[in-house]
Structures are given as C-alpha cells and as structure tokens.
Amino acid sequence: MFFRLSSLELALLVFGAVFGATAVGLLLGRRIRQRSEHLRASLGVLQSALLGLVGLVLAFGLALAVGRYEARRAAVVADANAIGTTYLRAQLLAEPFRGQSLQLLVGYTDATIRLSRSVPTTPEARSAVAVGDQLQRKLWSVAGHAIAEAPVANAPRLYVETLNDMIDQQTVHVAALNNRVPGPVLGLELLFGTVALGFVAFYLALLGRGALPVLFAAGLIGLLLMVTFDLDRPVRGLIKVPSTPLTSLRASMQLPPAAGIPRP
C-alpha cells in the first residue's frame, strides 16, 4: 500500500496523521483540564509505558527496512559483477558465438538497468524481467552451440558457468526488490506513533504545559516514519538503491573488448 504512494502523498499521510493526533490530544486535554485531577497520575504512567513500546516498534520497523535496503544494494552489485564476468568470458569464445553473446549481453545489461529503476510489481518491472528472461534463453542457446562446436575447449565451459551464475543472480535481484517490510508492520508503526503522540499531547495539556515539546516530538517521529517508509521504496523517494554498478558496467561495454578474437 505505502510503496504505491508518491513521496508527496506519503509525506501528507505521515505528517498529517502525527500532527493531527497531536492536535486532537492537545484540544481534548485543554478542554477537560479543570475536571481531571484524578486522571493525571494514571495517565502519566500510561503514556510513559506507551512511549517505551512505541520506541521498540519504531526501532523494529527501521531495522527491517534498513536490512532490506542493504540486501537490494548488495543484489545490484552482485548482478553487475555476474554480468561483467560473463561479458569478459564471452570475449574468449570463437566467432560467431563471441559476437552474438557480447551483443546479447549489452541488451541484457540494459534490461537489468531498467529493472533496477522500475517500481517493483509494476508493468514496467514485469516487462524488464520478461525481456531479461528472453535474452537469457538466447544466451543459453548460443552457449549450447558454442559447446557443441568445441566440446573439449575450456572457454565455452567457463562461459557457461558464469552465465548460469548470472541467470541465478537475476532471481536474487528480483526477489530483493520485491522483499518489502510487511504492510501491517508499517501500518502498526504509524498507528502506534499517532496514538502515543495523542496521549502525550493530552497529558501535557492536562498539566498545562506548552505545546512546543510535543510538536517537536511529532516532527521527529514523522521524520523517522518517513525514513522507514522511504527505505522500503527502492526507486522512489529520497533514499534510492543506486544503479551505479550497472550503469558503470554498461559504459565499459562501449569500449572495444579487452580480449582479441580467439584463433580457431
């Protein structure tokens, strides 16, 4: 749910919820301040316990989001390394398999870059995966013909080994992009944060304290929630998973192959 929202929509939802709950708590507390002497002690204990619980929930959600973000970064690097190794070993194949493989690998890199920049589960992401699958089948076919042409040569066998790793790595990459923090966890964070801020604002209003501290706390919790949600959106928002390893690899493919054409 949350990852489908734009950054502006997400910010309006999060900050609207936390500041709205804070405002409601302040208004209710000021309204019943004069006739609520017996509530202050019990509410003080309750809001302290609630704040401790909210801290645990927010830390848990942030840890989940950070872990998934790092897994996505690692998947992009591993994908780029697998494609790069396959591209280098393809240069050792005999023609015409060498030229066919290099051309297909350039197209496969472009498809992988598209995948890394697409919002997961969208038609654009599914299209990038489909194009990658088609290119994988073509690359595997070329590799099969290369082995059939030279069954005892080392180059085709080494190429097939890294090609298989590259195909496996795409599955890891797609899984990492789709591995999100469960929606109920993010919803629970938002719910607990707003309820806790409402109670704190209510309690401070009962005591006749100023609203500035609780508004400051609302801003901090809102920022923490935004960071958590943003980490779970790999290609949207301010915190994105960089595709630099893939784009650098694609730029290197513009250069002439490092290895010359093997002799038959």
Side-chain angles (χ1 to χ4, degrees):
M1 169 187 171
F2 297 104
F3 74 90
R4 297 185 182 278
L5 300 176
S6 67
S7 297
L8 178 60
E9 291 171 340
L10 185 61
L12 289 175
L13 172 64
V14 171
F15 287 104
V18 296
F19 282 110
T22 302
V24 170
L26 289 172
L27 291 174
L28 289 177
R30 289 174 179 175
R31 177 167 297 184
I32 65 172
R33 181 190 305 170
Q34 302 302 326
R35 52 182 188 276
S36 59
E37 294 292 335
H38 60 287
L39 292 177
R40 295 181 183 178
S42 58
L43 284 178
V45 176
L46 178 61
Q47 64 94 19
S48 297
L50 186 59
L51 284 177
L53 180 60
V54 168
L56 290 176
V57 172
L58 293 178
F60 176 69
L62 183 60
L64 288 178
V66 169
R68 283 160 171 76
Y69 177 79
E70 292 299 330
R72 295 182 191 112
R73 287 176 59 99
V76 171
V77 174
D79 212 357
N81 287 337
I83 298 172
T85 302
T86 306
Y87 187 80
L88 291 175
R89 292 191 178 182
Q91 298 174 23
L92 303 179
L93 298 176
E95 292 291 356
F97 313 114
R98 178 180 188 268
Q100 294 171 356
S101 297
L102 293 179
Q103 183 178 4
L104 289 171
L105 285 168
V106 170
Y108 183 78
T109 305
D110 290 336
T112 306
I113 293 174
R114 281 181 53 204
L115 173 64
S116 67
R117 293 176 176 177
S118 302
V119 178
T121 72
T122 61
E124 184 180 359
R126 288 192 290 268
S127 173
V129 173
V131 171
D133 290 341
Q134 292 175 1
L135 292 171
Q136 285 174 3
R137 292 178 63 86
K138 292 179 180 179
L139 284 164
W140 194 256
S141 176
V142 172
H145 286 99
I147 287 184
E149 185 74 17
V152 296
N154 289 327
R157 297 185 179 278
L158 291 173
Y159 172 70
V160 167
E161 179 183 342
T162 53
L163 179 60
N164 183 69
D165 293 339
M166 185 191 79
I167 293 173
D168 291 342
Q169 187 56 44
Q170 190 205 44
T171 304
V172 175
H173 191 178
V174 173
L177 288 173
N178 292 323
N179 185 19
R180 298 182 173 279
V181 178
V185 173
L186 296 177
L188 192 65
E189 281 195 314
L190 184 59
L191 176 63
F192 270 53
T194 54
V195 171
L197 286 168
F199 264 94
V200 171
F202 181 71
Y203 180 66
L204 290 180
L206 288 180
L207 297 178
R209 305 288 176 82
L212 187 59
V214 71
L215 291 175
F216 181 72
L220 290 179
I221 290 180
L223 286 175
L224 180 59
L225 288 171
M226 281 295 299
V227 169
T228 302
F229 291 178
D230 222 21
L231 285 169
D232 200 44
R233 291 148 35 100
V235 297
R236 306 179 75 181
L238 299 177
I239 307 175
K240 299 180 181 179
V241 175
S243 58
T244 306
L246 290 168
T247 55
S248 298
L249 172 64
R250 181 63 180 84
S252 70
M253 292 178 176
Q254 301 293 335
L255 302 174
I261 300 176
R263 295 181 180 181

